[in-house]
Amino acid sequence: MQTKILDLTKDKPQGDAVQTVLTFRPFIDFLKKRRDATEGVKNGYINYVIEQFEQKPELLDKIDVNDAYRYGDEFQLIYNTLSPIVEDENKHYWSLSLPLSPVLFYSTNAFFNLIADITSCSIRKEVLQSKEIADIVTNQLKFRYSLILEKCYGIPSFFNREIIHSMADAKTGMNRFYKMKMDIRFIDVHTVKPLPDINIESLKSRTSYDHQDVLPLLQRILPLDMFRFEGFGLTQIADITSQYAIENIKNAILNTYDMDEEQCFDTITRSLKALVGNNEIEFGVLPVLRINNKLVFDKSMCSNSMVIGITHEQGLGEETYLALAQKYLDEPKVIFYKEITKADENRKGYLRLLKKSGVKSYALLPVYFNKSLGGVLEVYSKKEGILDDVAMTNLDVAMPLLSQLLNNAVHQFEDGIEHVIKEKFTSVQPAVQWKFNEAAWHYMRDKHSGSANTEVEDIEFKAVYPLYGAVDIRNSTIERNASLSRDLQVQFGLLIEVLKELKERSGFGLIDEKIYLTQKWLEKVSEPDGFYEEVRLNEFLENNIVPFLLHFQKGNPVYEKISARYFEAIDEASGIANYNRRSLESSMTTVISAVNFYLESMKGEIQQAYPSYFEKFRTDGVEYDIYIGQSIAPDKPFSDIYLKNLRLLQVSSMAAIAKYAHSLIDSLPVPVETTQLIFVHSNPIDIKFRKDEKRFDVEGAYNIRYHIVKKRIDKIHIKSSAERLTQPDKIAIVYFTRQEADEYRGYINYLQEQGLLKNDLEDLELEEMQGVNGLRALRVGVVI
């Protein structure tokens, strides 16, 4: 035990001054009451303690704290009386202090060593820096008024007397957490002025859950200079680092969806390090993720994994890691290498890579959720002798929580997959999800009730307004045919060279016939009017030329080398006979990807105003349908202002797409241009989900007319002209009625004022189509 004085008030604010008297009379008075209610051996011990103190009457009066060291035997009696007899003072954090003042005069070795340097008796700087000034003052005030309210007004525990302190461990650098509990049984409160009456119920009703806002009120009606505090304080401290770490992990799990992966993993890692008590031990969390029952890994969810890191560093690729992981998952068990030896490296290749990366100790712990493997905890250290059995055992308490964390990660991954499927590959988009939820619930309800009709009900939306748009690659078919023709000329020219060289080397007569047929095909693919016999040509190459070359070169390295020139040329990925088609497809893909990206961003903007259904179709360009109306969002009142807003957004987005597509031309292998088309249909239509096709389509004979028109207008001409309506760098808006035209003229005028569209608006009459007449179009140029 230590009798040295430790003054924690040094360089610390103490709030309002208080009158204190160090005396042990309240302790003796407490024991006398206990003696009267106690019999047997305990009664005799209490009498002995009382006698020892009464033999030194100065202890029952006011004493100077600087003289306290003289009474170590009496203080030992206090410790023995108030602590379990078998308590180890080298582990038990316990101390005596002045009443309501952090001036310690007697403490256990454990307490003293925790807060002071035993050689200099000075307070550790970690203790002095462990709390903010405001927190110190507030905690002192809470404790003092808690004592006053309990002793003078009979209100117990008005403030929480347990205080949490964090303090850096001098050896490990890790923060440890301590709970401080102060015993007030041996402090008497004396008033030097009359006590005012206090309406306790009113006091409680006006305070927050922790009574934080009542402190200013108490300071005003019960100033501390009204009181004198006599006795001594007793403080006990408990190391709650493990409990605190577990609570942090729990909070991280509860807030998984509100935190990003990095923030969540950082919290988990710090908590696990606190549990093992060492900052040199690192952790990796690896959930078991599967797609179609095949193991996959999501880099964002495999946080800080050493084994994944080294496979990528060594350029081993994802397949290597997956094979390694699958082998482990086939027989999951605890793997622990306190020290990675040379023999370990020779037996396990991945241990050699870990050792090369500086890892000295390594462990893998399978983590189960409801008896199913949810993932793996990776534990490693780059310092020798750090990761041991004690550290591993300390992790046991966290394993149930880690299993929940990994289970959450798996579900989050699966939810993400489902979201992408709904968003990208099916028609179940968020705006209409509620309708599918209802249908699914009705199906489950009917099935469980034993109903004879267990078919999923039809999903329909009535009276919705359609908006159709198309961004197409101009003359895509012509460009494809031209690229094909150029590539075929290269292919047949090279084929003739190869055949002639084979004939010259072998003298084989049949090759002459092959050369003749190839020359005829070369003439056909070179015709300026185009080439229209692709089926017969492919049949000639695949069933005639290729089998002949393969058979002819067989067993002859010279002929094989000559023929290889042809086979290398027709390789789709790198051959010169596919160069023009590859270049064209690369250009078209670049442009269409850019258009898709813009439309995706526009989709988010659309949903902000009013929920709507948005569906894209990939052709040589991109077509899309937007449906908006009351039936899609029954809980949100619909107005035509939302429809007009969407129509304006559609026109402005087409202008932006045209401008952006034009800006890409100089960077493309083959210059391609886009055309922009909008079809206006003012009357609402009904749409229905086609279960077999997994998409929405128009419903009803009248509504089908809308579908027919939008499919035919992409190649429509201006009446009495050979000119196509759709042209590069222009927006074409097809309509039926003058009212529709007037509405869109307003949008066009506005966008012209904004500098997005040119002042070259045309109003055009269009050619008649089968079953459709009276179509007109507005066409306007885009400012490039």
Side-chain angles (χ1 to χ4, degrees):
M1 303 295 283
Q2 300 291 328
T3 57
K4 301 179 180 69
I5 294 175
L6 297 176
D7 187 354
L8 300 183
T9 64
K10 183 180 180 182
D11 300 325
K12 289 279 190 177
Q14 296 303 307
D16 298 337
V18 292
Q19 301 178 52
T20 61
V21 174
L22 175 59
T23 176
F24 294 89
R25 180 173 295 281
F27 174 66
I28 298 303
D29 291 343
F30 175 84
L31 288 184
K32 288 179 179 179
K33 291 179 182 178
R34 292 292 297 159
R35 180 186 60 185
D36 295 341
T38 306
E39 298 179 353
V41 176
K42 184 183 289 187
N43 185 279
Y45 176 75
I46 293 175
N47 270 327
Y48 172 75
V49 175
I50 293 172
E51 288 171 3
Q52 294 301 308
F53 272 83
E54 287 180 339
Q55 288 176 12
K56 296 183 178 179
E58 67 270 22
L59 290 173
L60 306 182
D61 202 353
K62 177 180 179 180
I63 69 169
D64 190 325
V65 70
N66 293 308
D67 296 328
Y69 70 93
R70 299 174 180 173
Y71 305 102
D73 291 341
E74 286 72 24
F75 298 160
Q76 182 70 52
L77 287 174
I78 296 176
Y79 178 74
N80 293 340
T81 303
L82 300 177
S83 302
I85 195 67
V86 295
E87 192 72 77
D88 185 351
E89 66 181 52
N90 292 309
K91 295 180 180 178
H92 186 205
Y93 300 109
W94 187 96
S95 72
L96 300 179
S97 67
L98 294 181
L100 300 185
S101 180
V103 178
L104 314 180
F105 57 84
Y106 188 74
S107 60
T108 60
N109 293 338
F111 195 108
F112 188 91
N113 293 334
L114 177 67
I115 64 173
D117 187 318
I118 197 165
T119 58
S120 64
C121 293
S122 59
I123 308 300
R124 294 184 187 277
K125 64 180 181 179
E126 294 90 352
V127 176
L128 297 174
Q129 297 170 354
S130 64
K131 277 285 184 179
E132 295 292 333
I133 292 175
D135 291 338
I136 295 170
V137 173
T138 299
N139 287 335
Q140 288 177 343
L141 284 173
K142 284 183 177 181
F143 182 73
R144 290 168 180 174
Y145 280 108
S146 177
L147 179 62
I148 291 169
L149 291 172
E150 180 169 335
K151 298 282 186 175
C152 299
Y153 292 95
I155 306 174
S157 303
F158 193 79
F159 294 104
N160 184 9
R161 296 187 194 127
E162 293 182 348
I163 300 173
I164 307 296
H165 281 269
S166 66
M167 193 166 65
D169 189 303
K171 292 181 180 179
T172 66
M174 297 288 300
N175 265 355
R176 300 198 67 81
F177 296 88
Y178 299 91
K179 180 168 67 175
M180 181 183 296
K181 186 174 183 180
M182 290 166 279
D183 192 333
I184 65 170
R185 289 177 295 173
F186 313 116
I187 302 176
D188 289 341
V189 181
H190 299 274
T191 58
V192 296
K193 298 177 183 179
L195 278 174
D197 292 330
I198 296 178
N199 187 328
I200 302 303
E201 294 304 320
S202 174
L203 187 68
K204 289 182 178 180
S205 67
R206 63 186 293 175
T207 63
S208 59
Y209 77 98
D210 63 352
H211 308 298
Q212 183 73 30
D213 54 357
V214 81
L215 281 174
L217 176 63
L218 290 173
Q219 286 178 284
R220 189 173 71 253
I221 62 177
L222 296 172
L224 291 176
D225 60 9
M226 290 178 57
F227 305 95
R228 183 178 70 254
F229 303 92
E230 298 183 359
F232 63 88
L234 190 158
T235 302
Q236 296 189 72
I237 294 177
D239 188 334
I240 60 165
T241 302
S242 294
Q243 299 96 303
Y244 200 84
I246 291 299
E247 284 301 315
N248 277 345
I249 296 175
K250 286 181 182 178
N251 291 334
I253 292 171
L254 291 172
N255 298 315
T256 299
Y257 292 96
D258 297 327
M259 304 166 69
D260 58 42
E261 287 86 355
E262 185 176 350
Q263 184 182 5
C264 180
F265 178 74
D266 183 60
T267 300
I268 299 295
T269 300
R270 282 189 283 103
S271 300
L272 292 177
K273 287 185 175 186
L275 280 177
V276 299
N278 201 299
N279 211 27
E280 299 296 337
I281 297 177
E282 299 292 342
F283 301 89
V285 182
L286 307 168
V288 176
L289 307 176
R290 297 184 186 275
I291 294 292
N292 300 328
N293 292 322
K294 293 182 180 179
L295 188 67
V296 298
F297 89 96
D298 182 346
K299 189 175 182 180
S300 67
M301 289 189 172
C302 299
S303 305
N304 209 37
S305 168
M306 196 65 194
V307 73
I308 288 180
I310 60 171
T311 54
H312 280 279
E313 286 174 10
Q314 300 297 322
L316 300 178
E318 184 177 327
E319 295 77 12
T320 302
Y321 163 72
L322 292 176
L324 188 66
Q326 188 60 59
K327 187 176 180 180
Y328 175 81
L329 295 177
D330 289 340
E331 296 183 35
K333 59 184 178 181
V334 175
I335 296 175
F336 182 23
Y337 296 92
K338 290 184 183 179
E339 180 185 355
I340 302 177
T341 63
K342 196 68 179 177
D344 295 329
E345 294 180 51
N346 293 333
R347 285 188 299 106
K348 303 286 186 180
Y350 72 92
L351 291 176
R352 183 170 59 254
L353 296 175
L354 286 169
K355 189 71 174 288
K356 187 177 179 181
S357 296
V359 175
K360 305 297 183 184
S361 308
Y362 187 78
L364 283 176
L365 285 72
V367 183
Y368 292 89
F369 185 85
N370 290 342
K371 299 182 180 181
S372 177
L373 186 64
V376 179
L377 176 65
E378 198 177 23
V379 190
Y380 59 92
S381 178
K382 292 188 176 183
K383 282 197 173 182
E384 292 182 358
I386 297 295
L387 187 57
D388 55 20
D389 293 321
V390 174
M392 297 291 287
T393 302
N394 288 342
L395 292 172
D396 289 345
V397 68
M399 297 307 281
L401 294 174
L402 293 177
S403 73
Q404 182 64 61
L405 177 74
L406 288 167
N407 185 61
N408 289 354
V410 172
H411 282 300
Q412 188 175 348
F413 174 77
E414 292 172 349
D415 290 345
I417 295 296
E418 184 178 355
H419 175 76
V420 171
I421 291 172
K422 289 178 179 179
E423 184 72 13
K424 304 295 183 182
F425 304 117
T426 76
S427 297
V428 188
Q429 295 178 14
V432 296
Q433 178 71 49
W434 65 272
K435 191 74 169 179
F436 287 83
N437 291 343
E438 282 188 355
W441 159 238
H442 295 160
Y443 170 77
M444 292 171 59
R445 179 193 60 194
D446 294 344
K447 189 174 182 179
H448 292 159
S449 66
S451 172
N453 180 22
T454 55
E455 288 292 320
V456 178
E457 66 192 45
D458 290 334
I459 295 176
E460 297 179 274
F461 294 99
K462 295 187 175 296
V464 294
Y465 292 91
L467 291 89
Y468 170 80
V471 180
D472 204 0
I473 301 295
R474 189 195 187 203
N475 297 329
S476 57
T477 302
I478 295 173
E479 291 292 338
R480 276 202 172 95
N481 289 339
S483 296
L484 174 62
S485 177
R486 289 191 291 270
D487 283 339
L488 288 175
Q489 290 176 52
V490 173
Q491 182 176 345
F492 281 105
L494 181 61
L495 178 57
I496 290 170
E497 292 177 15
V498 168
L499 290 171
K500 284 182 176 179
E501 188 171 352
L502 289 172
K503 175 64 169 56
E504 182 179 330
R505 295 268 187 170
S506 67
F508 194 70
L510 184 60
I511 295 179
D512 288 330
E513 187 226 11
K514 304 298 181 187
I515 294 173
Y516 169 78
L517 293 174
T518 303
Q519 287 174 333
K520 288 295 183 183
W521 278 111
L522 178 57
E523 292 172 6
K524 289 184 178 182
V525 300
S526 302
E527 290 175 359
D529 294 333
F531 171 70
Y532 303 100
E533 296 183 67
E534 192 170 345
V535 175
R536 288 185 58 230
L537 181 144
N538 287 334
E539 184 178 326
F540 166 71
L541 292 172
E542 294 173 8
N543 299 334
N544 191 327
I545 293 297
V546 171
F548 173 80
L549 291 176
L550 291 174
H551 182 76
F552 194 79
Q553 72 180 15
K554 196 172 184 179
N556 191 315
V558 175
Y559 297 164
E560 185 175 345
K561 185 176 181 181
I562 296 171
S563 301
R565 290 174 54 205
Y566 173 76
F567 289 113
E568 289 172 2
I570 64 173
D571 182 81
E572 290 186 3
S574 60
I576 59 172
N578 281 283
Y579 173 79
N580 291 286
R581 280 171 287 180
R582 281 200 310 273
S583 298
L584 178 63
E585 288 302 324
S586 174
S587 295
M588 292 176 63
T589 299
T590 298
V591 171
I592 297 307
S593 296
V595 173
N596 267 317
F597 179 82
Y598 189 92
L599 290 176
E600 282 295 321
S601 63
M602 185 183 82
K603 181 164 66 174
E605 186 176 352
I606 290 171
Q607 303 301 331
Q608 290 178 2
Y610 192 91
S612 58
Y613 180 79
F614 186 107
E615 187 174 29
K616 298 197 308 292
F617 306 91
R618 178 70 185 268
T619 56
D620 278 345
V622 181
E623 297 177 38
Y624 62 86
D625 283 314
I626 305 174
Y627 300 107
I628 187 171
Q630 186 66 73
S631 61
I632 289 180
D635 297 328
K636 184 172 183 178
F638 179 76
S639 167
D640 65 350
I641 62 170
Y642 296 115
L643 176 60
K644 291 178 178 179
N645 178 69
L646 189 52
R647 285 174 170 171
L648 173 60
L649 178 61
Q650 185 184 25
V651 179
S652 63
S653 67
M654 284 297 200
I657 287 171
K659 183 173 182 177
Y660 185 57
H662 183 87
S663 72
L664 295 174
I665 289 178
D666 291 340
S667 63
L668 300 174
V670 177
V672 293
E673 299 175 299
T674 62
T675 61
Q676 291 69 225
L677 175 66
I678 293 172
F679 174 45
V680 184
H681 188 86
S682 294
N683 296 323
I685 63 173
D686 301 336
I687 58 173
K688 181 178 180 180
F689 188 76
R690 305 294 182 193
K691 298 171 190 173
D692 52 345
E693 299 176 14
K694 296 292 187 291
R695 66 182 185 87
F696 279 97
D697 206 348
V698 295
E699 181 71 358
Y702 175 78
N703 297 327
I704 289 175
R705 184 169 181 261
Y706 160 77
H707 184 72
I708 293 172
V709 173
K710 75 175 187 180
K711 288 298 181 184
R712 292 182 180 177
I713 57 175
D714 62 324
K715 293 181 175 60
I716 198 169
H717 291 81
I718 298 172
K719 190 171 184 178
S720 304
S721 168
E723 181 184 355
R724 290 266 291 268
L725 170 64
T726 54
Q727 295 293 327
D729 302 335
K730 289 181 178 289
I731 301 172
I733 304 170
V734 177
Y735 68 92
F736 274 109
T737 69
R738 181 57 54 190
Q739 184 179 0
E740 293 170 344
D742 291 341
E743 180 180 342
Y744 275 81
R745 278 197 182 92
Y747 304 146
I748 292 169
N749 291 338
Y750 168 73
L751 295 175
Q752 287 172 335
E753 288 291 324
Q754 297 296 311
L756 299 177
L757 299 179
K758 295 180 179 179
N759 293 315
D760 60 353
L761 179 62
E762 303 171 89
D763 194 341
L764 307 168
E765 186 176 2
L766 304 180
E767 66 180 353
E768 292 186 5
M769 298 185 300
Q770 183 179 358
V772 180
N773 53 48
L775 283 177
R776 297 186 66 88
L778 299 175
R779 189 169 68 181
V780 63
V782 176
V783 176
I784 300 302

